[in-house]
Every structure is written in structure tokens, then in C-alpha cells.
């Protein structure tokens, strides 16, 4: 049927894709992915998508490079199957931290991924909490950049936020954390975090703002190795912070992150399901997982019907 809404999923986050489909009341599109003996990937779209408005969901999880190829091949297959419009839905964008040339002779890989998506046949992109909002400018096609802030704020609004301070873990996140602080009516403190090269344990040089005898909520875009969060919590404790809550949009939680977190003197770690985290949340009872599926479903529905997406930020 012309302009019919169809949703397909790659293998990165099948549970989130199913949940988004449930909110949209659409059946997840039928596709198959297989690997030949020579390690080449084959994707087949198992239903008619001619003239359809197609959304392909893929979150960046290990093996990251295989995930990118799977997404590109699926988009290519949809294009050659005559889909009318293809939107790449990327709850966690691949190579999101490789967004600048901060050393000589390195790649800006997030930009390369943008080029590859367009070349494959992507017409638009829907994503969430990019490491820097400028990544949207890497694309020559429209990008809708969702924020998980309302979801995280709703969680903390249920708590008694007396004597709390919102903490931005580095200067780069201060603007984003400021919006979070405004919404929760909290003062803001900013950490002066310095990382040399690819160092997993950055140094906290200073804290701008008052955290002594206050409860704090740290807001970060992602926790990967856990190095930043350990240093942040340590610095806050040294400066007299009381109860510490951590909120992060993307639970990358790679390497020894889980062991590091289990040793942290925090009350709660609140994350979303942009990346599958159920096995890790089962290991660590202080992890709360909030679903982004309703927000993605609404955004997909608005894009499909041509409504504004910006009103979803409030
Ligand atoms: C850094 O710019 C980000 O906002 C996060 O703080 C960082 O990605 C966390 O990485 P890790 O957990 O490996 O320190």
C-alpha cells in the first residue's frame, strides 16, 4: 500500500524494536540476515515494501562494525526493493564519540558513518542524545535528534529533590545538563574533567559550584568503560557530596565497567534501553532502566504523518 508505515529491525536491539512496534501497533517487518562461510552478510527483505515509508532500527552494540554493515546492507536492500522513504532509527549512533579531529591524522568516523548511511539510501535519520549536537550537521539529509531528558527528569521528579545539585561531568556537557537542571529546578555544578589521549581514567581538576553536604544527580550522555563516572564520584565525595545518583542515556558498559560500578558509593544508576542492558541490570540491583520506546514510537508516528517532532522534547 502506498506510504504504508513499516518498521524493520537489525540485530542491535531487537527488544527495543519490538517494544516500539507495540506502541505503534504495527507488526515488525519480516527480514532475514545470514552470514556466508566467507563472512559476507546477506540481508533479505521478506515482504513487499514497494512505496512504503520504512523505518530501520539499529543500535550500535558490539560487534560495532558488523552492526554498521548489517544496517547499510538492509537499507540498500530496502532501496532496491522500492521503498519510498527510508529512515535510519539509531537510538545509539555508531562511533558517536569520534566526532572531532582532536589529534593529528585521525578519522572523524561519526562523519564517515553519516556519509555511508546516505550512500546506502537513507533519506532521513532519527537518533537520540548524540555526543555533540553538531553531528547532525555531518548529514546532508534531515536528522531528528531526540533527547532522553524528559524521560530521566520524570524519574527524578518523583523523588524529594530537596538539597540536590545537578552535576555536569565535564564542560562539554554543561549546556545539556543546564537544561536538565532548569527542568528539575536545581542548581548546577560543573566538573573540570581532563582526558589525555585515549586515557580511560580522566582527571577531575576542579569543581565549579557547591556540592558540599548536598545530594547530587550526575547527568552524562553515556557510560562506556566507567572511568569517567568513577573519577566523578570520587571527586564529588572528596568535596563532601552526600547521596549520589547517576543518570546516563546510553549504557554502553563495556570492558570492566560493571566491576567498577559495583564498587561505587552511589544510590542509583538510571539509564535507558537505547542499548540492551537487561543482563547487566540483573547483576546490579542499583541500575534502573527506563524505556525510550514510547518516545521513539511517537517520533516515528509524527515523522510518518508529517507532524512536528520538536514538541516531543517537552
Ligand atoms: C565523554 O565525553 C562522555 O560524555 C562520557 O563521559 C564518556 O563517554 C564516558 O566514557 P567512559 O565511561 O569510558 O569514561
Amino acid at each position: 500500500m502506498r506510504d504504508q508505515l513499516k518498521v524493520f529491525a537489525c540485530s542491535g536491539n531487537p527488544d527495543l524494536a519490538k517494544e516500539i512496534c507495540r506502541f505503534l501497533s504495527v507488526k515488525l517487518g519480516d527480514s532475514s540476515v545470514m552470514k556466508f562461510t566467507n563472512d559476507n552478510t546477506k540481508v533479505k527483505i521478506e515482504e513487499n515494501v514497494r512505496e512504503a515509508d520504512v523505518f530501520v532500527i539499529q543500535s550500535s552494540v558490539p560487534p560495532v562494525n558488523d552492526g554498521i554493515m548489517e544496517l547499510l546492507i538492509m537499507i540498500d536492500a530496502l532501496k532496491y526493493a522500492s521503498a519510498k522513504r527510508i529512515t535510519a532509527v539509531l537510538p545509539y549512533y555508531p562511533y558517536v564519540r569520534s566526532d572531532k579531529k582532536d589529534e593529528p591524522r585521525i578519522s572523524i568516523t561519526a562523519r564517515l558513518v553519516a556519509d555511508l548511511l546516505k550512500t546506502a539510501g537513507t533519506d532521513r535519520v532519527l537518533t537520540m542524545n548524540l555526543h555533540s549536537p553538531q553531528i547532525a550537521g555531518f548529514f546532508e539529509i534531515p536528522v531528528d535528534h531526540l533527547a532522553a531528558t524528559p524521560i530521566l527528569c520524570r524519574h527524578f521528579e518523583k523523588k524529594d529533590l530537596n538539597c540536590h545539585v545537578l552535576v555536569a561531568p565535564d564542560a562539554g556537557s554543561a549546556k545539556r545538563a543546564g537544561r536538565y537542571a532548569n527542568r528539575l529546578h536545581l542548581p548546577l555544578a560543573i566538573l573540570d574533567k581532563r582526558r589525555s589521549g585515549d586515557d580511560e581514567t580522566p582527571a577531575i581538576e576542579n569543581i565549579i559550584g557547591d556540592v558540599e553536604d548536598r545530594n547530587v544527580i550526575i547527568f552524562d550522555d553515556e557510560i562506556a568503560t566507567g572511568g569517567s563516572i568513577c573519577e566523578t564520584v570520587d571527586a564529588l565525595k572528596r568535596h563532601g557530596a552526600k547521596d549520589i545518583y547517576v543518570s546516563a542515556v546510553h549504557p554502553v558498559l563495556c570492558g570492566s565497567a560493571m566491576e567498577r560500578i559495583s564498587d561505587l558509593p552511589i544510590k542509583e544508576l538510571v539509564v535507558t534501553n537505547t542499548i540492551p542492558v537487561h543482563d547487566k541490570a540483573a547483576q546490579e540491583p542499583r541500575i534502573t532502566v527506563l524505556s525510550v520506546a514510547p518516545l521513539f514510537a511517537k517520533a516515528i508516528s509524527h515523522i510518518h504523518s508529517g507532524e512536528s517532532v520538536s514538541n516531543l522534547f517537552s
Side-chain angles (χ1 to χ4, degrees), residues 82-296:
S82 302
K84 185 170 183 190
R85 182 173 68 169
I86 303 166
T87 302
V89 181
L90 310 171
Y92 180 57
Y93 187 91
Y95 284 94
V96 73
R97 282 167 68 181
S98 177
D99 57 355
K100 59 197 156 308
K101 198 157 187 298
D102 54 0
E103 282 175 61
R105 301 181 295 282
I106 59 164
S107 158
I108 306 176
T109 316
R111 162 71 202 248
L112 175 63
V113 170
D115 290 346
L116 292 170
L117 283 166
K118 180 156 181 277
T119 301
T122 308
D123 294 298
R124 56 187 308 134
V125 169
L126 173 63
T127 188
M128 176 169 264
N129 285 85
L130 294 166
H131 184 241
S132 61
Q134 292 89 327
I135 294 176
F138 291 175
F139 287 88
E140 289 168 13
I141 52 177
V143 177
D144 289 307
H145 182 193
L146 298 175
T149 323
I151 299 168
L152 295 165
C153 283
R154 270 197 295 275
H155 176 81
F156 284 103
E157 273 161 0
K158 290 183 203 140
K159 299 186 190 289
D160 176 12
L161 291 182
N162 258 334
C163 202
H164 281 66
V165 176
L166 206 288
V167 170
D170 52 47
S173 63
K175 207 166 169 184
R176 200 167 36 207
R179 282 197 286 271
Y180 199 173
N182 281 348
R183 184 168 166 147
L184 292 174
H185 308 290
L186 296 179
L188 179 69
I190 303 168
L191 270 60
D192 176 15
K193 178 176 97 177
R194 314 230 179 134
R195 199 190 285 272
S196 57
D198 298 326
D199 192 0
E200 282 189 2
T201 47
I204 309 290
E205 302 286 345
N206 221 331
I207 297 184
I208 303 149
D210 193 11
V211 296
E212 193 171 355
D213 287 329
R214 313 286 296 259
N215 301 320
V216 303
I217 303 173
I218 304 164
F219 175 68
D220 212 344
D221 54 341
E222 66 172 57
I223 298 178
T225 62
S228 302
I229 208 64
C230 287
E231 292 303 308
T232 303
V233 169
D234 189 53
L236 290 168
K237 279 288 177 200
R238 277 189 276 111
H239 284 77
K242 291 195 333 198
D243 292 349
I244 299 181
Y245 295 83
V246 181
S247 63
V249 180
H250 307 297
V252 181
L253 302 177
C254 55
S256 48
M258 289 308 293
E259 291 92 85
R260 281 174 161 161
I261 287 166
S262 66
D263 291 339
L264 280 182
I266 57 169
K267 285 277 172 197
E268 190 183 19
L269 166 60
V270 185
V271 296
T272 78
N273 60 347
T274 56
I275 293 170
V277 75
H278 291 300
D279 51 337
K280 291 171 180 150
Q283 276 175 49
E284 171 51 74
R286 294 173 301 169
I287 297 186
T288 302
V289 185
L290 305 176
S291 180
V292 294
L295 184 57
F296 271 98

Side-chain angles (χ1 to χ4, degrees), residues 13-60:
N13 198 341
D15 289 345
L16 176 62
K18 283 183 208 143
E19 209 186 327
I20 291 174
C21 283
R22 269 205 305 283
F23 280 104
L24 286 166
S25 303
V26 298
K27 192 174 86 36
L28 187 62
D30 195 7
S31 63
S32 58
V33 181
M34 56 115 25
K35 265 208 175 183
F36 292 105
T37 316
N38 66 0
D39 206 38
N40 289 11
T41 299
K42 175 184 170 186
V43 176
K44 185 165 182 213
I45 309 302
E46 304 278 6
E47 62 182 68
N48 178 22
V49 292
R50 208 166 269 272
E51 295 301 319
D53 186 15
V54 179
F55 293 79
V56 187
I57 303 171
Q58 175 68 313
S59 249
S60 184

